[in-house]
Amino acid sequence: MIDVKEINDPKAPEFEGFSKIYIESFPPQERPDLETIAHRLTDRISRLFVGKIGDRVVSIALLYALKNPNFVLLDFIGTDSQYRSQGLGTQMMNYLGETLKSRQIHLIIEVEDPQYSSNFKQGERRIEFYRRLGAKILENVPYLLAPFAGETPTKMKLMIWPDYGQLCLSGSLLTELIYDIYQNLYDRDRDDPFLNSFINDIPETIQLI
């Protein structure tokens, strides 16, 4: 069982444990540098949660606050390679779920599309992980993860969680959320070619499946 703790200060000793898992879990094109994350924590733009066993950080979750106060983005979630397949990711998500539900906040989740992944089964497992928790896929929504390094975006699916019983989401609302993510998290303007390759194809009404 992990002890979950929120870290607000990048100078806290747990930030080093976060950094290790973060770097080993995500390729460079999918993650901003640690200095950027440190600034976001200091500015209270991001919230960092770490799961500990004893003094060791074994799981991490980073949330990014969107301008719409009813939504946050799951920026990253990961587990120490020596502690995987032990349910620690589920424990972390359950903790986050209680935090979100207390304020009726929706979590937007970016998940690599298995159809375009180098490891289809791994991609399917990630989606199933969130589905078991009750997350829903935003049906027929095209989405690209803009690269932080290199020039190749990653094709993704968007999911939403917790399940508050809604059956659909407004396309105009999602469009504004994506503009926010691209401009303020990815540091790309509204003329960005990756953004404009899909933003106009978002359905007017999005079914949650």
Side-chain angles (χ1 to χ4, degrees), residues 172-195:
S172 60
L173 171 58
L174 180 62
T175 297
E176 286 306 312
L177 295 174
I178 292 173
Y179 276 134
D180 184 3
I181 293 168
Y182 258 72
Q183 288 181 285
N184 297 304
L185 183 61
Y186 300 152
D187 195 27
R188 293 172 178 268
D189 60 32
R190 292 196 175 207
D191 294 328
D192 181 79
F194 295 135
L195 175 63

Side-chain angles (χ1 to χ4, degrees), residues 145-156:
L145 177 68
F148 289 101
E151 298 297 329
T152 304
T154 304
K155 291 189 177 183
M156 312 288 279

Side-chain angles (χ1 to χ4, degrees), residues 10-194:
K11 294 180 181 179
E14 290 88 354
F15 192 78
E16 182 177 351
F18 155 75
S19 302
K20 176 180 178 295
I21 296 173
Y22 175 70
I23 290 172
E24 75 176 12
S25 299
F26 306 101
Q29 68 270 20
E30 294 183 13
R31 55 177 165 85
D33 58 49
L34 290 169
E35 183 178 357
T36 297
I37 291 177
H39 284 308
R40 289 174 181 163
L41 289 178
T42 302
D43 294 339
R44 301 296 189 264
I45 298 171
S46 293
R47 297 181 68 184
L48 172 61
F49 296 86
V50 299
K52 300 176 68 177
I53 295 179
D55 292 330
R56 180 167 180 166
V57 174
V58 296
S59 63
I60 61 171
L62 189 68
L63 306 185
Y64 181 80
L66 300 177
K67 289 181 178 179
N68 186 318
N70 297 316
F71 293 85
V72 296
L73 178 74
L74 180 60
D75 205 352
F76 298 99
I77 184 169
T79 302
D80 187 314
S81 58
Q82 296 183 33
Y83 288 82
R84 289 174 186 161
S85 302
Q86 297 183 31
L88 302 190
T90 299
Q91 291 180 44
M92 176 64 79
M93 289 296 292
N94 286 337
Y95 180 91
L96 296 178
E98 293 303 314
T99 302
L100 297 168
K101 289 174 184 176
S102 68
R103 296 172 56 193
Q104 290 285 294
I105 293 176
H106 300 79
L107 185 71
I108 300 295
I109 306 169
E110 301 167 323
V111 187
E112 187 173 7
D113 188 333
Q115 297 292 338
Y116 300 95
S117 172
S118 58
N119 189 326
F120 177 82
K121 290 185 178 180
Q122 185 180 70
E124 285 281 282
R125 284 196 298 269
R126 288 195 186 112
I127 290 178
E128 183 57 30
F129 167 73
Y130 293 116
R131 278 198 177 280
R132 286 197 302 269
L133 294 166
K136 301 289 185 67
I137 291 177
L138 278 60
E139 187 178 30
N140 295 325
V141 171
Y143 187 76
L144 293 177
L145 177 68
F148 289 101
E151 298 297 329
T152 304
T154 304
K155 291 189 177 183
M156 312 288 279
K157 288 183 178 291
L158 291 180
M159 304 183 75
I160 191 169
W161 182 77
D163 181 6
Y164 295 118
Q166 72 272 40
L167 300 177
C168 59
L169 188 70
S170 161
S172 60
L173 171 58
L174 180 62
T175 297
E176 286 306 312
L177 295 174
I178 292 173
Y179 276 134
D180 184 3
I181 293 168
Y182 258 72
Q183 288 181 285
N184 297 304
L185 183 61
Y186 300 152
D187 195 27
R188 293 172 178 268
D189 60 32
R190 292 196 175 207
D191 294 328
D192 181 79
F194 295 135

